């Protein structure tokens, strides 16, 4: 009986840690497939990803970005994923053009090093064929994230 109890406790601990790890790394998001190597194999996709010691910015734990140019199907898939994740966001700032999501900035919760944010920009309504999605995780406020992303886009 004790043996089964220990086995159940060990299983529960492993499950809790794996769920926490998955949540912390953004794996439970609808947009997570767009940051995978399979998606980035397309010549229309550019992906950047770094974490931990790879970043020069203090407090930034994870930075992932993906841009799509010349593939409306992939860009539209990203928009659908962003809308689904945005619907569950703690806060959001959005802008629409011609009935389509043009800009979105979303706070996805988390605490300390694991605050999560999504930034989305679809330039197609302005005549430029580029859609960009950024996932950020770290100990940054929403204002700090917006400032950093704004500098990178300019």
């Amino acid at each position: 009986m004790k043996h089964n109890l220990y086995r159940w406790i060990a299983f529960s601990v492993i499950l809790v840690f794996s769920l926490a790890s998955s949540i912390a790394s953004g794996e439970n998001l609808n947009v997570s497939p767009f940051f995978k190597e399979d998606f980035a194999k397309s010549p229309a996709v550019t992906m950047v990803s770094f974490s931990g010691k790879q970043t020069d910015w203090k407090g930034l734990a994870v930075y992932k970005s993906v841009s799509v140019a010349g593939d409306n199907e992939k860009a539209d898939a990203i928009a659908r994923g962003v809308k689904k994740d945005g619907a569950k966001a703690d806060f959001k700032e959005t802008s629409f053009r011609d009935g389509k999501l043009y800009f979105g900035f979303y706070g996805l919760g988390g605490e300390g090093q694991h605050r999560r944010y999504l930034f989305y920009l679809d330039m197609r309504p302005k005549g430029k064929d580029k859609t960009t999605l950024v996932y950020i995780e770290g100990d940054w406020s929403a204002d700090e994230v917006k400032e950093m992303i704004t500098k990178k886009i300019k």
Side-chain angles (χ1 to χ4, degrees):
M1 182 89 168
K2 265 188 176 182
H3 185 63
N4 286 338
L5 178 63
Y6 290 134
R7 201 180 280 176
W8 183 85
I9 291 172
F11 174 76
S12 298
V13 168
I14 290 169
L15 181 63
V16 166
F17 280 112
S18 66
L19 285 174
S21 171
S22 172
I23 289 169
S25 66
E27 292 298 318
N28 63 334
L29 298 174
N30 289 288
V31 296
S32 64
F34 307 122
F35 298 111
K36 305 281 186 199
E37 287 182 33
D38 287 348
F39 188 77
K41 286 181 182 177
S42 167
V45 176
T46 302
M47 185 172 9
V48 174
S49 179
F50 54 86
S51 61
K53 294 179 182 179
Q54 293 175 315
T55 175
D56 293 336
W57 297 306
K58 184 179 179 187
L60 183 66
V62 175
Y63 175 95
K64 297 178 183 181
S65 73
V66 62
S67 294
V68 175
D71 190 330
N72 285 333
E73 187 177 313
K74 287 188 182 325
D76 290 342
I78 289 173
R80 286 189 299 274
V82 167
K83 287 178 188 175
K84 287 179 184 176
D85 290 332
K88 298 178 265 180
D90 290 348
F91 74 84
K92 59 183 145 191
E93 295 176 21
T94 58
S95 177
F96 292 83
R97 296 230 168 130
D98 300 324
K100 293 186 177 187
L101 182 62
Y102 167 68
F103 164 85
F105 180 61
Y106 306 90
L108 302 175
E111 295 180 13
Q113 262 311 98
H114 300 291
R115 290 187 211 161
R116 304 177 310 151
Y117 302 95
L118 277 183
F119 173 84
Y120 171 82
L121 182 62
D122 184 354
M123 297 297 291
R124 295 178 295 170
K126 287 189 130 190
K128 297 179 182 176
D129 192 15
K130 186 172 184 181
T131 301
T132 301
L133 173 64
V134 178
Y135 172 83
I136 291 179
E137 189 174 314
D139 192 16
W140 285 15
S141 70
D143 289 337
E144 290 171 315
V145 171
K146 283 195 293 190
E147 182 180 331
M148 186 271 296
I149 290 174
T150 303
K151 286 179 183 177
K152 290 195 74 66
I153 289 177
K154 288 183 180 181

